[in-house]
Amino acid sequence: MYDMETVWCWVSDHVGFRGTIKNSPSDFVVTEIDMCGRLVNDVDCVRDTCTIDSSQLQPQPQPRPTPSKRPKKRERSPANDSERAVIPSDASLNTDPELSESSINSPSVEVKGRSLEMLLGCSIAESLEQFASSAKGGSLAMEGKEEATLLLVTFQEKGQRASVHKAVRQRYPFLKTVTSSAEIRVRLDPQYSELRQLVSEGEADGLFRFLDSRDTSSKFSFQPDGNKEHRKAVHHFVSRYFGKLLETKSFSGQGDGSRPDAVITVRFRDKINGSRKRAAHEYQGPSTPYTAFTLHKVNMETLDAVASLASQLGVLPSDFSYAGIKDKKADTSQTMVVKNVTIDKLKAKQSSIQNKDLKIYNLRTTTQHLRVGQLKGNHFSIIVRNVSKHLKDDPEASLAERVFGAIENVKERGFVNYYGPQRFGLGLNVQADQIGLALLKQNLVKALHLFFTPEEGNDPVNKAKRHFINTEDAKATLALMPEYKTRERLVLRALNRYGNSQEGCTRAWLSLPHYMRILYVHSYCSKIWNEAATFRLKTYDMHVVEGDLVTCDKPEQDLLSRNNQVHVVTAKDVESGNYSINQVVLPMPGNSIQYPSNKLTSWYQEALVRDGLQGCRFRIPALQLNVPGCYRPLLALPRRLECRWWESEEVLCTKEEAGFAVGEPDQPLKTGDALSLSFSLNPSNYATVCLREIMKCHV
């Protein structure tokens, strides 16, 4: 288990002091700072031009059409006068096994002015009609011609071929079109035939036409079904063939009581429009509504708040996006964006959502989701209670001098930019970095068992986890798991559907949103970064040395992407003093970063070998995870660090909540004076790490 206490280094040598934090959530107030530098709890902050402006983000790789990939200029001919259908090229269709050309069928997207007769000619169109009738009637199968194909036409121009593909699929959703050397052939689609063994013709046609529509704001529903095993088979079919594009969910309906009906609803996954196989202008479709708002929560996990909102709005948790996860035992405010919910719908639900722990306000429309890291930082207002000197401190020393001396030191010199304990799971038997290591080793079954490892105690959550570890019975565990445990229930539902095999565990991990899956891997990489930072400081102290990586400009964000330029410090740089310790960065492990050219090079290699990751490519294809890595500044500086001294009678101590003792925990702390601290940090800086440097003790 990772123990942060063994790797800690200090920047300043002041003595510090002790106290208690988080006696109540109101003692730890976190307010997000948007991309324009405004606090998001400002009730006048009703415009989204700053908070949702992706141009202010760090550079992120986006699929863009290159000059060599732009559509060729169309020649003027009768077949090309009408508007080209906005559909994938035949090349992309042939290279994506999840998206066969016939599995995209919809009458709702017309090929404007281009009927089959116009595209193919009457003779070929009649032959196609006869072929389709034979295929649909089953005569081809009876004649042993399951693989029978019909040559339609040969077109050299991609736009012409695309129009033919679209027109055929619109009229005959059970046929598959295939391009080979500019020839378009058609045959019976085996995926459609397999689905027809499960559902009616109308349902099969509807699903394939929905898939072709590319309307991400719409949904498709099968007929109500009271047979659970049959519904499971339908879920399996959609997941097996279209799992990268579509997701399914069952919703309870009305039945005869003993076997209630349920409706399987299908919708597009969030990232379907990000495929690199399609140009940026393709698949625009109807606009998807996005609504931004400020979420205020008290003593609640961010994911629990999202699950609650999703339930009340009738959407999925994955429809919500936000810049980062905030502390649980705190009073926090942050911007969120919900997809597929209009501002009018959110306003109608606003009053029913409000309670003492959860509130939404500053509602406004926007055009896109939020990305992780899309913020300027966070502002913290923290009360440290029972402030006193360390037990071994000089009895003659002044407490006020200890406090204000510490504040001035950290203002000037900052603190080591460690990832805080909450990144790994403070006090847990299994920490997030252990799960991340198992995932990087692609041992998905072991990672799942680590995920369900119980803690001490007999509370409902640990009872449920213990039951799963002992029995591997996902269905029974799901019944025991409390509703608010969103992640655990998502995984258990997938295990119940797909089983506990390697494939089932893969599906279980995929049931979690991408940001949840990658969080565990990032936790492991964060542990390596913390250890590297300690090695760097113990080896080279606060000096810039040859081989260090530095950033030339002061970064706007704390985490630098792999696209940011870093410079390897040379002997000449050291001699001339070109760079300061505040410009030194260390890499987070990944597949697209470079390592320092000094003793840290071998240190990183040995750390990965120690953990069994020699040769690791930092990709987990089965979970659609890629870890490119990034650069993180070695030191961090708080902005606008201010403090106010409160006399004990001015601060009401909460007796019901003892809080976390900071200092020597085995010694009783007397009620004393309190200190109010206010400061801002860059994204991914930890307030608890800053407090450790100020107080010179572990919090």
Side-chain angles (χ1 to χ4, degrees), residues 295-296 300 305 307-314 341 343-361 363:
L295 170 72
H296 175 250
M300 182 183 293
S308 175
L309 292 174
S311 175
Q312 296 187 64
L313 293 171
V341 176
I343 190 169
D344 290 336
K345 180 178 179 180
L346 194 56
K347 284 180 178 177
K349 292 280 188 179
Q350 188 174 10
S351 59
S352 62
I353 290 173
Q354 318 286 35
N355 59 54
K356 65 182 180 66
D357 297 327
L358 192 66
K359 183 172 72 171
I360 62 172
Y361 56 100
L363 277 57

Side-chain angles (χ1 to χ4, degrees), residues 104 229 507 681:
I104 323 173
E229 291 303 315
R507 295 290 184 183
L681 295 174

Side-chain angles (χ1 to χ4, degrees), residues 272-290:
I272 180 174
N273 290 328
S275 171
R276 295 187 180 185
K277 295 180 181 177
R278 293 182 288 277
H281 64 278
E282 294 181 318
Y283 296 128
Q284 296 297 320
S287 59
T288 301
Y290 289 90

Side-chain angles (χ1 to χ4, degrees), residues 12 21 27 58 73 87 110 156 199 263 309 315 372 381 395 407 411 431 460 488 493 550 571 573-574 608-609 668:
S12 304
I21 64 170
D27 280 0
Q58 298 175 23
K73 184 176 181 180
I87 58 176
E110 296 183 0
Q156 296 298 327
V199 301
V263 176
L309 292 174
V315 296
V372 173
S381 296
I407 296 294
K411 265 187 183 180
Q431 296 181 339
E488 287 80 356
R493 286 194 191 101
V550 294
D573 291 329
V574 175
L608 295 178
V609 169

Side-chain angles (χ1 to χ4, degrees), residues 15-19 386-400 402-403 664 669:
V15 176
F17 53 93
R18 60 184 181 140
N386 306 318
V387 178
S388 61
K389 294 187 297 182
H390 288 301
L391 295 179
K392 296 181 180 179
D393 196 4
D394 182 357
E396 302 299 322
S398 164
L399 175 61
R402 291 289 188 243
V403 169
E664 297 80 355
L669 288 172

